Amino acid sequence: MENREIAAVFGEMSNLLKILQEDPKWQFKAAAYDRAKRSIESFPERLEDVARDPHRRLTDIPGIGADLAAKIKELVETGKSQAHQELLAKVPRSLLDLLELQSVGPQKARLFYHRLGITTISELEAAARSHRLRELPGMSAKSEENILKAIATLKRASGRFRLDTAMETAEELSRYIRGLKGVTEVTPAGSLRRGRETVGDLDLLVTGRDLAGLPDDLVRFGGIADVLAKGEDKVSVKLSNGLQVDVRMLPPESYGAALMYFTGSKEHNVALRDRAKRRGWKLSEYGLFEGDKVIAGRTEEEVYERLGLEWIPPELRENLGEIEAAEAGRLPKLVELDDIRGDLQMHTTASDGKASVEEMAAAAKKLGYQYILITDHSKAVTIANGLDEKRARENIHRIHAARKRVKDIKIWAGAEVDILGDGRLDYPDDVLKEFDIVLASVHSRMTQPGEEMTARLLTALRNPYVRILGHPTGRQILRRDPFLFDLDAVMNAAKQLGVILELNGNPERLDLCDRHVKLARDKGLKIVISTDAHHPDHLRFMRYGVMTARRGWMEKKDVINTYPPEKLLASLRKLPA
Ligand SMILES: [Zn+2]
């Protein structure tokens, strides 16, 4: 059993306790499950290995006491937890689906269930459409509207997985396949390889010598819920997280052509096939052919070269000008993860982060970074324990003190200051001027009409202390649409004022998205790629931000956190004297 499956069981138990509320003590139990879930999600080793190792104790893991350790053991050994099953037996399981909706938490699910007998999303939708929800305490016409919107978003999202889920699953499965007999290469293809923000199915391509035994070995992978098809050269499975994976076994001679074919995009492939046809050739997943003769196919490079093209990075393969650029030898030299020298958005225990300034700095140093910017929330974001002016000043002192303890990395004192409803900032100028770098973001009143939101953002950008605009569109992938506003106007103002736009690399956000990054590039704007880390492990989200920047054609010079520290500071808007 994988860590995420164990974490998911604990998450469900917490939600069930909160929905049932049979005993006032259950709120503490639920909080303990939540804590354990977070701890397990960020635990770097497989819990199953720890549980089976007689020299290790699960209780050494933060948030895991004796009771939870016993439950983990039970899950690892039997695949089930008795306590979980007992809770599940008390309510219809479909009630938990309601929690997938933005704005529906366990309290609301409980309310809908007890007062209206709602047990499924479609029953909830019917109740919202017939205006029965607004009669309930704490509900209004507006909340009905929000629920209908959330249902629509969820329907659009169903069957799609976030980039990080797909990536982690692909890496786990690839590791397993690499260990099997005869395998020499495993590569994820499809939209994952192109770095798209969501992925439908996962395509894994495998090559090697004598893969006859592979299908049988493959279906023994632990995370499989269902084997959909098992042939000689293709195995399709559904994993326990719902993701479908197609594993294809290919001969080495056509591996490159197959990789191109299954990486896509469809539009890119169609354009390449036309190009081959114009030269009297045929391009397919089996190779580039002149008549019956294969003229290229072993590697992608070889196929592109025969077609008169530079090799095109997968992130660009959308037929949006990359083929023309490759023909002219003018492909951008895309930014790489190794180019990144620092991270300019992260939170600490001062607001809603899980680690101290020192811990974040030490983790950043391990990644080879030269600088970080600590950006705890401001007071308006009460749910994130935002800092008032006094606590913000204390936090600056704390950051300065940390500089003495963690050497060889610059620790800048910043803040993620909330942009209030009218565009004013959540701190007065005399506090703002004490930070090294101020990042401003919207976290409230996200459903404002477009003109109001545009005016709000433009007002915020005009504040001379704002140097970075955080997660500019506010969207959350598969959960929340971007705010309505005139992005073009905001980008133009940012360019004119010298405000840098953030590409938030948290895989829940990826905001700006790839298209917007490309727009920024076309306007000559520079960006910063940040992780918005709330835990040292989250610093690793940088890879997703970099993939998105690459999809937006960004080069190293376009991304300010590839610069050395002095150059980065010099590239930011000048502060008032
Ligand atoms: Zn934020």
Side-chain angles (χ1 to χ4, degrees):
M1 193 171 237
E2 301 304 324
N3 289 6
R4 62 180 150 67
E5 298 170 86
I6 299 172
V9 169
F10 285 176
E12 275 195 15
M13 290 177 77
S14 160
N15 284 330
L16 288 163
L17 290 168
K18 289 179 206 160
I19 291 172
L20 290 161
Q21 291 180 20
E22 286 177 11
D23 182 327
K25 274 196 238 100
W26 279 13
Q27 57 176 303
F28 303 110
K29 257 178 123 171
Y33 283 123
D34 283 333
R35 221 170 18 248
K37 172 174 181 278
R38 281 195 302 270
S39 173
I40 293 167
E41 280 167 344
S42 60
F43 191 66
E45 296 169 76
R46 283 186 83 213
L47 280 185
E48 173 155 354
D49 298 340
V50 179
R52 292 189 193 282
D53 184 342
H55 306 293
R56 306 275 305 268
R57 276 192 315 236
L58 287 165
T59 47
D60 290 340
I61 300 169
I64 308 294
D67 172 61
L68 290 172
K71 289 203 170 67
I72 293 172
K73 270 218 151 75
E74 185 191 357
L75 280 166
V76 165
E77 279 160 16
T78 69
K80 273 191 183 139
S81 150
Q82 189 67 36
H84 179 225
Q85 299 298 322
E86 279 166 17
L87 286 173
L88 274 176
K90 289 174 187 260
V91 283
R93 179 163 197 143
S94 57
L95 200 54
L96 290 171
D97 298 343
L98 304 191
L99 305 180
E100 300 291 315
L101 297 167
Q102 171 83 12
S103 85
V104 178
Q107 304 300 332
K108 292 237 175 85
R110 173 182 168 83
L111 182 71
F112 302 152
Y113 177 52
H114 279 285
R115 298 287 287 271
L116 300 172
I118 289 168
T119 59
T120 65
I121 289 183
S122 41
E123 286 168 11
L124 182 65
E125 186 175 6
R129 289 199 191 289
S130 59
H131 306 313
R132 279 179 290 141
L133 297 183
R134 64 180 64 172
E135 313 298 328
L136 299 174
M139 297 291 293
S140 64
K142 180 84 186 157
S143 27
E144 273 176 354
E145 201 181 296
N146 286 339
I147 281 178
L148 288 173
K149 245 191 233 161
I151 293 174
T153 306
L154 188 75
K155 278 185 182 158
R156 267 203 312 279
S158 65
R160 307 273 320 163
F161 291 80
R162 270 187 356 218
L163 176 59
D164 55 323
T165 313
M167 182 69 83
E168 282 166 23
T169 310
E171 285 175 345
E172 197 179 303
L173 187 53
S174 299
R175 254 196 313 276
Y176 174 80
I177 295 174
R178 244 172 240 126
L180 299 177
K181 196 173 122 302
V183 173
T184 55
E185 230 174 311
V186 185
T187 320
S191 39
L192 176 64
R193 184 159 178 248
R194 301 202 314 281
R196 283 203 49 189
E197 62 194 37
T198 63
V199 170
D201 299 343
L202 204 61
D203 292 294
L204 284 184
L205 306 189
V206 182
T207 192
R209 292 169 307 275
D210 184 22
L211 298 177
L214 191 79
D216 286 326
D217 291 340
L218 184 64
V219 298
R220 274 185 226 116
F221 177 68
I224 294 176
D226 206 359
V227 178
L228 307 170
K230 182 158 143 280
E232 253 170 50
D233 47 16
K234 184 181 161 194
V235 176
S236 296
V237 296
K238 183 157 273 212
L239 300 180
S240 48
N241 64 0
L243 189 61
Q244 182 178 325
V245 190
D246 296 328
V247 182
R248 293 165 211 276
M249 287 134 258
L250 300 153
E253 311 82 72
S254 59
Y255 195 63
L259 193 52
M260 281 172 75
Y261 180 85
F262 289 109
T263 296
S265 67
K266 206 178 268 160
E267 293 73 16
H268 178 85
N269 285 351
V270 166
L272 287 185
R273 280 205 294 275
D274 286 347
R275 190 178 176 90
K277 216 191 254 164
R278 284 198 299 275
R279 286 164 168 71
W281 300 329
K282 188 172 167 277
L283 176 64
S284 75
E285 61 200 279
Y286 304 106
L288 183 61
F289 292 84
E290 181 164 34
D292 293 339
K293 202 177 115 229
V294 182
I295 54 173
R298 190 169 278 272
T299 66
E300 286 191 336
E301 285 81 355
E302 155 183 310
V303 178
Y304 278 109
E305 203 196 319
R306 269 325 276 266
L307 292 170
L309 301 172
E310 285 180 71
W311 178 80
I312 300 176
E315 294 93 335
L316 297 183
R317 298 182 194 173
E318 301 290 342
N319 196 23
L320 292 171
E322 75 280 8
I323 296 174
E324 294 76 1
E327 178 165 42
R330 277 204 314 263
L331 279 173
K333 193 173 172 335
L334 298 178
V335 60
E336 290 174 21
L337 185 57
D338 273 350
D339 296 330
I340 300 293
R341 299 197 194 205
D343 197 330
L344 301 192
Q345 182 173 182
M346 65 189 65
H347 302 259
T348 71
T349 43
S351 62
D352 60 344
K354 297 284 174 283
S356 65
V357 178
E358 284 86 346
E359 287 166 319
M360 297 305 283
K365 239 173 90 168
K366 265 198 208 144
L367 296 174
Y369 287 171
Q370 298 172 6
Y371 48 83
I372 55 170
L373 177 68
I374 302 290
T375 54
D376 281 301
H377 287 285
S378 64
K379 61 183 185 296
V381 194
T382 45
I383 52 162
N385 185 26
L387 311 179
D388 62 18
E389 287 77 359
K390 180 165 171 285
R391 288 175 62 217
R393 286 198 164 102
E394 286 163 9
N395 203 32
I396 294 175
H397 290 307
R398 196 175 301 130
I399 294 164
H400 290 176
R403 289 176 184 167
K404 300 201 180 75
R405 289 193 285 272
V406 189
K407 305 266 197 234
D408 303 319
I409 183 164
K410 292 201 183 304
I411 310 174
W412 289 322
E416 185 184 16
V417 181
D418 209 50
I419 300 174
L420 304 176
D422 58 3
R424 281 178 306 124
L425 294 194
D426 198 16
Y427 291 141
D429 287 358
D430 68 314
V431 176
L432 292 176
K433 71 169 197 267
E434 293 188 29
F435 297 108
D436 296 312
I437 300 172
V438 167
L439 176 93
S441 318
V442 166
H443 295 105
S444 62
R445 301 193 52 202
M446 287 177 271
T447 53
Q448 272 178 344
E451 306 87 85
E452 270 175 50
M453 185 58 89
T454 306
R456 175 182 184 183
L457 290 168
L458 293 177
T459 304
L461 294 191
R462 281 195 289 268
N463 181 303
Y465 294 98
V466 171
R467 299 169 102 186
I468 300 171
L469 179 64
H471 44 75
T473 78
R475 63 105 174 234
Q476 283 182 4
I477 294 174
L478 304 179
R479 281 179 71 84
R480 188 170 74 208
D481 289 335
F483 335 124
L484 292 174
F485 70 104
D486 184 346
L487 178 65
D488 206 58
V490 169
M491 281 191 177
N492 292 341
K495 170 128 203 222
Q496 197 212 333
L497 295 164
V499 177
I500 303 288
L501 300 185
E502 180 185 77
L503 192 184
N504 192 299
N506 183 317
E508 290 177 18
R509 290 187 181 270
L510 297 176
D511 180 8
L512 303 171
C513 71
D514 50 6
R515 283 175 302 113
H516 293 158
V517 172
K518 180 74 175 0
L519 188 65
R521 186 199 113 112
D522 292 346
K523 286 179 181 289
L525 279 160
K526 295 193 182 350
I527 58 164
V528 58
I529 310 176
S530 308
T531 62
D532 203 348
H534 285 68
H535 186 284
D537 286 340
H538 298 168
L539 293 173
R540 285 184 297 198
F541 292 159
M542 189 60 77
R543 63 192 294 200
Y544 303 115
V546 169
M547 286 177 112
T548 305
R550 288 167 66 87
R551 287 182 59 79
W553 292 56
M554 284 281 177
E555 304 195 14
K556 183 177 171 181
K557 65 173 169 44
D558 304 317
V559 179
I560 65 162
N561 54 320
T562 63
Y563 299 170
E566 306 72 31
K567 185 177 172 194
L568 180 141
L569 291 173
S571 71
L572 296 172
R573 172 190 210 170
K574 296 278 160 299
L575 293 175

